[in-house]
Amino acid sequence: MERVQAVKGHQGSLEVEIAGITLQNPVMPAAGTFGFGEELAPFIDLNRLGAIVVKTLTLHPTPGNPPPRISETYSGLLNSIGLQNPGVEKFVQVKLPYLRQLKPPLIVNIAGRTISEYAELASRLSGEAGIKALEVNISCPNVKEGGIIFGTVPEMAAQVTAAVKKQTSLPVIVKLTPNVTDITEVAKAVVDAGADALALINTLRGMAIDLETRRPALGNIIGGLSGPAIKPVALYAVWRVARAVKVPIIGMGGIMTAHDVIEFMLAGATAVAVGTASLVNPRALIEIIEGLEDYVAAQGIDDVRELIGAVQI
Amino acid sequence: MERVQAVKGHQGSLEVEIAGITLQNPVMPAAGTFGFGEELAPFIDLNRLGAIVVKTLTLHPTPGNPPPRISETYSGLLNSIGLQNPGVEKFVQVKLPYLRQLKPPLIVNIAGRTISEYAELASRLSGEAGIKALEVNISCPNVKEGGIIFGTVPEMAAQVTAAVKKQTSLPVIVKLTPNVTDITEVAKAVVDAGADALALINTLRGMAIDLETRRPALGNIIGGLSGPAIKPVALYAVWRVARAVKVPIIGMGGIMTAHDVIEFMLAGATAVAVGTASLVNPRALIEIIEGLEDYVAAQGIDDVRELIGAVQI
Amino acid sequence: MKLLTEILEAVVLASSQIRPDIYLLSLEAPTISRDARPGQFVHIRCSHTYDPLLRRPLSIHDIGSKGELVLLFQAKGRGTAWLAGQQAGNRINVLGPVGQGFSIVANKKVAIVAGGLGVVPLLFLARKLLESDNEVNFFLGAQDCDKLLRLEALRRMEVNLFLATDDGSAGFKGTVTDLWKKHLRPGAFDWAYACGPQAEMAEFARLAERVALPAEVSLEERMACGIGLCRGCVTAVCDASGHKKYENVCSCGPVFNAAAVCWED
Amino acid sequence: MKLLTEILEAVVLASSQIRPDIYLLSLEAPTISRDARPGQFVHIRCSHTYDPLLRRPLSIHDIGSKGELVLLFQAKGRGTAWLAGQQAGNRINVLGPVGQGFSIVANKKVAIVAGGLGVVPLLFLARKLLESDNEVNFFLGAQDCDKLLRLEALRRMEVNLFLATDDGSAGFKGTVTDLWKKHLRPGAFDWAYACGPQAEMAEFARLAERVALPAEVSLEERMACGIGLCRGCVTAVCDASGHKKYENVCSCGPVFNAAAVCWED
Ligand SMILES: Cc1cc2nc3c(=O)[nH]c(=O)nc-3n(C[C@H](O)[C@H](O)[C@H](O)COP(=O)(O)OP(=O)(O)OC[C@H]3O[C@@H](n4cnc5c(N)ncnc54)[C@H](O)[C@@H]3O)c2cc1C
Ligand SMILES: Cc1cc2nc3c(=O)[nH]c(=O)nc-3n(C[C@H](O)[C@H](O)[C@H](O)COP(=O)(O)OP(=O)(O)OC[C@H]3O[C@@H](n4cnc5c(N)ncnc54)[C@H](O)[C@@H]3O)c2cc1C
Ligand SMILES: Cc1cc2nc3c(=O)[nH]c(=O)nc-3n(C[C@H](O)[C@H](O)[C@H](O)COP(=O)(O)O)c2cc1C
Ligand SMILES: Cc1cc2nc3c(=O)[nH]c(=O)nc-3n(C[C@H](O)[C@H](O)[C@H](O)COP(=O)(O)O)c2cc1C
Ligand code: FES
Ligand code: FES
């Protein structure tokens, strides 16, 4: 339904740039919905993605939250995974070799329980070949220590950013939470502290109750809401932040189709990430990229960057 | 699908109490989705509702925002009505006589551009017979002055509440916005300032872009998101606030069925409001009340108040 | 009118695709068929879940000879695509009839100006105006001759039919308002009605005003409730003194006095 | 296994309601039928819009004689209600086969313990175990005789069938694990498989461990992706040293070594 007839012959450029890194197209996976890449390889050609973004890494292996971790909501998904991951060392040994040989730039997402853990993660990963940028997750609603706490107080967000910047020469993308009164305050604070790009939004805090048991539907009680349900909130956040800061923005939140991508770019995103859509349809990333190719062709757009922030007010 | 078979003979009480007012059942309309009552009268018996809540009133007639004011999102609705209403005087003259003769307690929702406007509205309405409570809207995302600004800063929210309380002996319900970092801070501030009950949540800030025109889908650029999409966010807010304050809570946000009502009550709501559901199905309020009757009957619940805050953690 | 509005599970009697993107749908909805007046619409749930969430407004296109409710619609987006997939025997949740219809005059010379899908409410209007002994002059326009909708049905009615196409593939070459303008002398008509693209209706209103012809238009606006609860569907109208205010298209319209509409918005 | 997983628009060949809330659905899904192993599941979109949003996991119940993929499911909530409404000729988006299936042993005496809907993956398992020349003892339990599913199909297979019902309306009166326990002497079986309610599987695991019988169970957990992307579907498993960790039910399971599962959770 969403696919536009391609105009024969016309081929607009889909290339964009984020923090000095060139992406062949603006579409990448959202952290935590892509495993470590291999799981999707049977379904799509990972080399066609704009970038590769892997599940949040912590310094030590993290077991994650007790199940149930998933609860479906109307056009949305509540999750409380709790950053389950093998830890940075095992990642470097077991996962990185595979990821390194993929063509798209690799962005590694990190989260610490303390500012010094963020710094340590940054320094540990900076030395590794094949990593093109770090995405700093200060917005996970599902862990007790760290996570979202750093993302809601502008000063703390700035401190995390500065600490990471100090340890790495890699571009630093800071991932913001929408669960704040004014997201532009946090955005400005992290940009002032050196963030090279911003990623937004992470999930909205949410909850569901199972009527049969009268217990929370999630083992962790609360979770993060993602998927089409949150798209309007995400688009608003991107639009607000794009007008408040000068660094490029990776927009995300409920993107399911190429049309959604275009809305995010018009609102001010330079690139986008696709999360929940991949969980529903493992081919979503590629179908979205193809949809984007069709769209720029049909509209006679020479350079997709024309769309960035081009909403008419 | 949602209707549970009623157990013959058993009839649990649905009565609840909010700020000294007895409601025959916990279900009322959400402000702004019920007109001034008359519009729904052809479809449902208004006397069966737990309470009557009318569109926000302002001191002077408010023309509202330019169209388009509505944009459908996935399982959600963006609106930017902008508090269009005839003003308090016309309300008293033209609408109140009709509302006064209805049996359920009448709750009048008010919004000012300044604290003194809130106070003036409260004093003007307190003298009128037939009004049982005031709902103070400090959470409308769609107006430039007042509205949400008062709802995001705890001190200002408290000031509005105190100013209203001073002018009226009616119970005061304060309606909160979810667009804050910590809703419990605002909740505590308004309760300390004298709020007798809380209503939450108002809409989430959101935005959509029309791809054909590349303009915002709403004339006001941004709007408020309501409907099933936001239910998990609303439920989380109710649960948080219920554990933070002692006053009763009117929960709302995405309630479509009796099952949703039960989730909100388990999370801590004493009563609930139904908004978007009435726009989709004019009979929703009554169907939800009937669903609730069936549920308490089927579960053998003697008193619906057993459910309030009864989620098992 | 409101007391007549019902919510019902209408049975689909027949559905046919009359153009690649245009569908004709007959429903069994006796109370609606009985009470419907031209210009009113029905408001339809296009899902059994919450996505799509809102009802879709569709004008009442006709009441068939067996009392069936006939709708004519374009499959545009997610809601109408769902509707296009419904087959005979399925049940559809319909709210209606809603809104204020056209004024039904009697024994007059009337002009009906239909641009594109604007024909939808105007066919039913023509039928009713004929029943009240009016002389009905029906101006039908579209981009090209393939897009002239319900031509056969109109030809079977006792109307004077005038055709216009943008490309001249049938009838007059130009817009339907341009065609109408050629027939518009003072006194040529006693009453005029239009539905179609915004720009053509604005032009229609301007032309009618110039010759002081009473004129009504049917407007479109995005809707949520369709029954006046939410104030989501407003259009700007001006009272006699030029004072502008927002009125609900669903409950004060969709038919408005053409002179009252603020066309510049 | 992963490379064999496909996403396809499967055509519904037949759908029948075999109990008030239970449906048997045949799909044309040749690649899935070809590659499927007992215990694997398919992951199905139950909407053409975003509500319901997630796929629903259903075990592979059988591969029919013409290669059709057969599913057996209970209409529980919104997703399965949609699926129950699909008719022959409709297309359904299916991802599969997914997950790790049961171990297919050969020339052994095996016990299969099915509680309620647990029969779903176990019928296909029995068929495959028979093909590998095992002696198959099939213990089937349910609340009452009306809820014993696929009894006729199982009777047509070369299995030793043992029945249990909670109310004694057919076979042994009690749970299927209680019935199995009565047959469970050391050496009675070489291998055991189970699927059913959590409590019965826990009991099954305990009993099997007591006689050191290799035992496998198929677990259920809420799922999003179904292919290991999200870590949403974990269950706690213990390694030999009792060390607990969370493993994906979708990609490491749904079949697990019964001894490894942390049943107390
Ligand atoms: C009073 C009235 C009568 C109408 N009668 C007809 C008719 O008889 N035949 C016909 O083909 N169309 C008619 N329309 C337009 C029709 O309602 C829209 O084309 C339809 O709602 C589009 O829905 P969708 O799901 O296909 O599109 P989507 O793009 O999925 O719609 C998304 C949202 O936008 C709204 N929307 C989209 N386009 C329009 C539009 N042009 N006007 C109002 N809302 C819109 C939808 O209702 C929905 O809320 C009428 C509109 C109004 C207001
Ligand atoms: C590997 C596996 C195989 C399964 N095989 C079968 C089968 O062959 N036949 C059958 O009838 N059922 C089977 N189930 C259970 C089946 O998936 C659920 O009953 C179904 O998802 C319920 O969806 P719904 O839309 O009807 O319910 P809803 O209540 O609308 O579901 C809401 C959400 O909860 C999830 N959910 C609800 N119940 C369960 C459950 N018991 N297990 C996992 N998720 C659940 C849904 O997938 C959905 O995400 C299986 C489950 C798993 C994990
Ligand atoms: C199952 C799941 C796991 C997630 N894990 C992470 C994570 O580890 N790190 C992170 O920064 N964001 C994580 N997210 C958030 C997503 O990256 C993304 O910000 C969010 O889901 C919004 O996008 P979507 O609506 O396209 O999913 C996760 C989201 C989901 C649904
Ligand atoms: C069209 C529309 C108009 C609204 N107008 C008001 C209003 O005037 N005053 C107010 O306090 N809330 C208003 N709201 C918010 C609702 O009262 C309610 O808080 C919100 O919609 C969440 O509930 P729901 O998801 O059930 O709609 C409005 C909501 C909608 C959808
Ligand atoms: S659509 Fe709600 S008032 Fe018109
Ligand atoms: S459901 Fe996503 S990892 Fe299992």
Side-chain angles (χ1 to χ4, degrees):
Chain A
M1 187 174 84
E2 298 287 343
R3 268 197 100 174
V4 183
Q5 196 62 34
V7 171
K8 255 232 177 101
H10 186 96
Q11 256 202 334
S13 162
L14 289 187
E15 221 173 81
V16 297
E17 206 185 290
I18 290 276
I21 312 168
T22 301
L23 315 185
Q24 60 185 339
N25 66 61
V27 182
M28 65 185 83
T33 61
F34 182 72
F36 288 102
E38 289 160 306
E39 296 86 348
L40 263 190
F43 297 97
I44 60 174
D45 179 357
L46 302 180
N47 285 330
R48 289 178 66 188
L49 303 180
I52 302 283
V53 184
V54 288
K55 176 82 193 159
T56 294
L57 292 177
T58 51
L59 205 50
H60 306 292
T62 299
N65 286 322
R69 290 179 174 184
I70 288 289
S71 175
E72 186 186 65
T73 71
Y74 303 114
S75 295
L77 168 63
L78 271 175
N79 89 78
S80 61
I81 310 298
L83 302 183
Q84 175 170 359
N85 80 90
V88 67
E89 286 312 324
K90 192 146 177 206
F91 167 77
V92 168
Q93 286 157 35
V94 181
K95 303 292 183 183
L96 191 53
Y98 172 78
L99 294 165
R100 197 178 266 145
Q101 44 93 35
L102 297 173
K103 275 183 236 149
L106 172 64
I107 299 173
V108 174
N109 183 303
I110 57 172
R113 288 170 299 184
T114 59
I115 293 182
S116 64
E117 280 193 6
Y118 277 103
E120 209 176 323
L121 279 158
S123 111
R124 175 67 188 84
L125 289 164
S126 294
E128 291 299 330
I131 299 176
K132 288 295 180 311
L134 297 180
E135 182 171 83
V136 182
N137 180 357
I138 53 168
S139 47
C140 180
N142 293 325
V143 287
K144 282 187 185 61
E145 299 158 284
I148 205 169
I149 301 165
F150 292 113
T152 53
V153 183
E155 296 70 36
M156 289 190 77
Q159 281 174 34
V160 172
T161 309
V164 168
K165 280 296 282 185
K166 216 167 163 183
Q167 299 299 325
T168 186
S169 56
L170 290 173
V172 171
I173 302 161
V174 179
K175 183 159 176 184
L176 305 182
T177 172
N179 299 305
V180 291
T181 307
D182 186 351
I183 195 170
T184 63
E185 282 182 22
V186 188
K188 282 186 232 161
V190 301
V191 169
D192 287 347
D196 301 289
L198 300 176
L200 53 137
I201 57 175
N202 209 316
T203 53
L204 284 169
R205 284 171 306 207
M207 181 176 179
I209 296 175
D210 184 331
L211 286 200
E212 275 170 46
T213 60
R214 296 199 181 162
R215 288 177 176 280
L218 297 174
N220 187 48
I221 304 174
I222 73 156
L225 184 66
S226 65
I230 71 167
K231 194 188 118 188
V233 175
L235 200 73
Y236 168 73
V238 166
W239 181 73
R240 282 284 313 275
V241 171
R243 290 154 58 101
V245 300
K246 294 226 157 59
V247 303
I249 292 170
I250 304 171
M252 71 194 82
I255 292 175
M256 303 300 279
T257 67
H259 280 189
D260 295 331
V261 173
I262 296 153
E263 275 191 72
F264 274 84
M265 294 190 75
L266 290 171
T270 295
V272 297
V274 172
T276 305
S278 290
L279 307 182
V280 174
N281 172 14
R283 280 205 290 254
L285 282 156
I286 293 300
E287 288 175 7
I288 288 171
I289 291 167
E290 288 174 352
L292 213 49
E293 286 165 0
D294 291 351
Y295 180 85
V296 300
Q299 300 275 315
I301 293 169
D302 290 319
D303 188 331
V304 79
R305 289 175 302 182
E306 288 169 23
L307 296 174
I308 301 168
V311 59
Q312 309 269 328
I313 298 297
Chain B
M1 187 173 86
E2 299 286 346
R3 269 198 99 174
V4 183
Q5 195 64 34
V7 171
K8 256 238 178 94
H10 186 95
Q11 252 202 335
S13 162
L14 289 186
E15 223 173 80
V16 296
E17 205 185 289
I18 290 275
I21 312 167
T22 301
L23 315 184
Q24 60 184 338
N25 67 61
V27 183
M28 65 185 84
T33 61
F34 183 69
F36 288 102
E38 289 160 306
E39 297 85 348
L40 262 191
F43 297 98
I44 59 173
D45 179 358
L46 301 181
N47 285 329
R48 290 179 66 188
L49 302 180
I52 302 284
V53 185
V54 288
K55 175 84 192 158
T56 294
L57 293 177
T58 52
L59 205 50
H60 306 291
T62 299
N65 286 323
R69 290 179 175 184
I70 287 290
S71 175
E72 186 186 68
T73 70
Y74 303 112
S75 296
L77 167 62
L78 271 175
N79 89 80
S80 61
I81 311 296
L83 301 185
Q84 177 171 356
N85 79 91
V88 68
E89 287 312 324
K90 195 150 177 202
F91 167 76
V92 169
Q93 285 157 35
V94 180
K95 304 292 183 185
L96 191 53
Y98 172 79
L99 294 165
R100 199 177 266 147
Q101 45 92 34
L102 297 173
K103 275 182 238 149
L106 173 63
I107 300 173
V108 175
N109 182 303
I110 57 172
R113 288 169 302 182
T114 59
I115 292 181
S116 62
E117 281 193 5
Y118 278 103
E120 209 175 326
L121 279 159
S123 110
R124 175 68 187 85
L125 288 164
S126 294
E128 292 298 330
I131 298 176
K132 290 295 181 309
L134 297 180
E135 183 172 82
V136 183
N137 180 357
I138 53 169
S139 46
C140 180
N142 293 324
V143 287
K144 280 181 189 69
E145 299 158 283
I148 204 170
I149 300 164
F150 292 113
T152 53
V153 182
E155 295 72 33
M156 291 191 75
Q159 282 174 35
V160 172
T161 309
V164 168
K165 279 296 282 184
K166 217 168 163 185
Q167 298 300 323
T168 188
S169 56
L170 290 173
V172 171
I173 302 160
V174 179
K175 184 158 174 183
L176 305 182
T177 172
N179 299 302
V180 292
T181 306
D182 186 351
I183 194 169
T184 62
E185 283 182 19
V186 188
K188 282 186 230 158
V190 301
V191 169
D192 287 347
D196 302 290
L198 300 176
L200 54 141
I201 60 174
N202 210 317
T203 54
L204 284 169
R205 283 171 307 209
M207 182 178 181
I209 296 174
D210 183 332
L211 285 200
E212 276 170 45
T213 61
R214 295 200 182 164
R215 288 175 175 282
L218 297 173
N220 186 50
I221 305 174
I222 73 155
L225 184 64
S226 65
I230 71 168
K231 195 187 118 187
V233 175
L235 199 74
Y236 169 73
V238 166
W239 181 72
R240 281 285 314 276
V241 172
R243 291 155 56 102
V245 300
K246 293 228 159 59
V247 302
I249 292 171
I250 305 171
M252 72 193 82
I255 292 176
M256 303 300 278
T257 67
H259 280 189
D260 295 331
V261 172
I262 296 154
E263 274 191 73
F264 274 83
M265 293 190 74
L266 290 172
T270 296
V272 297
V274 172
T276 304
S278 289
L279 307 181
V280 173
N281 172 14
R283 282 205 288 253
L285 281 157
I286 295 298
E287 288 175 8
I288 287 170
I289 292 168
E290 288 174 352
L292 215 49
E293 287 165 358
D294 292 351
Y295 182 84
V296 299
Q299 301 275 316
I301 294 170
D302 289 318
D303 188 332
V304 79
R305 289 175 301 181
E306 289 169 22
L307 296 174
I308 302 169
V311 60
Q312 309 269 328
I313 298 296
Chain C
M1 290 314 300
K2 265 170 205 147
L3 282 162
L4 299 173
T5 309
E6 302 234 4
I7 309 170
L8 43 89
E9 298 286 331
V11 177
V12 176
L13 298 170
S15 171
S16 62
Q17 189 174 8
I18 64 169
R19 294 282 185 287
D21 60 339
I22 307 282
Y23 293 78
L24 203 58
L25 185 73
S26 315
L27 301 174
E28 185 181 315
T31 53
I32 299 178
S33 294
R34 186 192 63 208
D35 299 325
R37 297 187 312 155
Q40 290 190 301
F41 64 97
V42 290
H43 209 32
I44 302 187
R45 283 276 285 137
C46 293
S47 161
H48 294 302
T49 70
Y50 300 136
D51 181 36
L53 179 66
L54 300 177
R55 291 173 184 271
R56 301 297 194 248
L58 293 180
S59 294
I60 292 169
H61 176 52
D62 206 357
I63 306 299
S65 52
K66 295 186 189 104
E68 65 273 26
L69 171 67
V70 185
L71 305 176
L72 177 67
F73 67 94
Q74 183 179 21
K76 260 184 72 171
R78 293 151 43 91
T80 46
W82 183 90
L83 204 57
Q86 297 306 303
Q87 293 157 359
N90 289 3
R91 284 176 178 275
I92 295 179
N93 189 287
V94 181
L95 166 67
V98 249
Q100 308 302 324
F102 292 104
S103 305
I104 304 296
V105 295
N107 302 303
K108 295 267 171 351
K109 281 191 287 184
V110 305
I112 294 181
V113 181
L117 272 169
V119 69
V120 181
L122 299 177
L123 182 129
F124 186 33
L125 173 65
R127 201 181 290 290
K128 289 288 177 189
L129 287 172
L130 288 172
E131 287 174 11
S132 326
D133 300 318
N134 295 284
E135 174 196 309
V136 178
N137 299 281
F138 203 109
F139 298 83
L140 180 68
Q143 281 176 287
D144 57 49
C145 62
D146 280 344
K147 299 219 167 93
L148 288 168
L149 295 170
R150 305 312 312 285
L151 208 49
E152 291 317 310
L154 286 165
R155 284 203 170 117
R156 282 195 303 270
M157 288 163 65
E158 305 268 292
V159 301
N160 303 322
L161 194 57
F162 305 89
L163 303 181
T165 50
D166 294 350
D167 67 354
S169 53
F172 173 81
K173 179 172 176 172
T175 67
V176 69
T177 29
D178 283 344
L179 169 61
W180 181 56
K181 191 173 165 187
K182 292 177 42 149
H183 293 77
L184 184 64
R185 283 168 310 275
F189 307 109
D190 306 315
W191 210 277
Y193 307 89
C195 185
Q198 180 87 358
E200 288 184 32
M201 283 197 288
E203 173 71 356
F204 165 85
R206 214 179 49 77
L207 294 171
E209 195 155 16
R210 230 164 45 186
V211 294
L213 176 63
E216 291 179 342
V217 291
S218 175
L219 300 184
E220 278 192 13
E221 191 54 66
R222 309 216 153 210
M223 289 182 179
C225 69
I227 53 169
L229 298 178
C230 71
R231 296 210 152 274
C233 61
V234 297
T235 196
V237 297
C238 312
D239 61 22
S241 58
H243 204 84
K244 187 176 127 177
K245 63 171 179 173
Y246 290 124
E247 282 198 349
N248 293 348
V249 170
C250 70
S251 53
C252 308
V255 174
F256 288 90
N257 178 344
V261 176
C262 301
W263 292 103
E264 70 282 8
D265 282 319
Chain D
M1 289 312 302
K2 264 172 205 145
L3 281 161
L4 298 174
T5 309
E6 302 237 1
I7 308 171
L8 43 88
E9 298 286 331
V11 178
V12 176
L13 298 171
S15 171
S16 62
Q17 189 173 3
I18 62 167
R19 292 283 185 289
D21 59 338
I22 307 281
Y23 292 79
L24 202 59
L25 185 74
S26 315
L27 300 173
E28 186 182 316
T31 53
I32 297 178
S33 293
R34 186 192 62 211
D35 299 325
R37 296 189 311 158
Q40 289 190 302
F41 64 98
V42 291
H43 210 31
I44 302 188
R45 283 276 285 138
C46 292
S47 162
H48 294 302
T49 70
Y50 300 137
D51 180 37
L53 179 67
L54 300 177
R55 291 174 184 270
R56 300 296 192 253
L58 293 180
S59 295
I60 293 169
H61 175 54
D62 206 358
I63 305 299
S65 53
K66 296 185 188 105
E68 65 273 25
L69 172 66
V70 184
L71 305 176
L72 176 68
F73 67 94
Q74 184 179 20
K76 260 184 70 171
R78 293 149 45 89
T80 47
W82 182 91
L83 204 58
Q86 297 305 305
Q87 294 155 358
N90 289 2
R91 285 176 178 274
I92 295 178
N93 189 287
V94 182
L95 165 68
V98 250
Q100 308 301 325
F102 292 103
S103 305
I104 304 296
V105 295
N107 303 304
K108 295 268 173 346
K109 280 192 286 184
V110 305
I112 295 181
V113 181
L117 270 168
V119 68
V120 181
L122 298 177
L123 182 129
F124 186 32
L125 173 65
R127 202 182 288 294
K128 289 289 177 190
L129 287 172
L130 288 172
E131 286 173 14
S132 321
D133 301 317
N134 296 283
E135 174 197 309
V136 178
N137 300 282
F138 203 109
F139 298 82
L140 180 67
Q143 281 175 285
D144 56 50
C145 61
D146 281 344
K147 297 218 168 90
L148 287 170
L149 296 169
R150 305 314 313 282
L151 208 49
E152 291 316 309
L154 287 166
R155 285 204 167 117
R156 281 196 304 271
M157 289 165 63
E158 305 269 292
V159 302
N160 305 322
L161 192 57
F162 305 88
L163 304 181
T165 51
D166 294 349
D167 67 353
S169 54
F172 174 78
K173 179 169 177 177
T175 67
V176 70
T177 28
D178 283 345
L179 170 61
W180 180 55
K181 191 172 166 188
K182 294 177 41 151
H183 293 78
L184 184 64
R185 286 169 307 276
F189 307 109
D190 306 314
W191 208 277
Y193 308 89
C195 185
Q198 182 86 358
E200 290 183 30
M201 284 196 289
E203 173 70 358
F204 165 85
R206 214 177 50 76
L207 293 171
E209 196 156 13
R210 229 164 46 187
V211 294
L213 176 64
E216 291 179 341
V217 290
S218 174
L219 299 184
E220 279 193 14
E221 191 52 65
R222 309 217 152 210
M223 290 184 179
C225 69
I227 53 170
L229 297 179
C230 71
R231 298 211 152 273
C233 61
V234 297
T235 196
V237 298
C238 311
D239 60 20
S241 56
H243 204 83
K244 186 175 128 178
K245 63 172 179 171
Y246 290 125
E247 282 200 348
N248 293 347
V249 170
C250 71
S251 54
C252 308
V255 173
F256 288 90
N257 179 343
V261 177
C262 302
W263 292 104
E264 70 284 7
D265 282 319

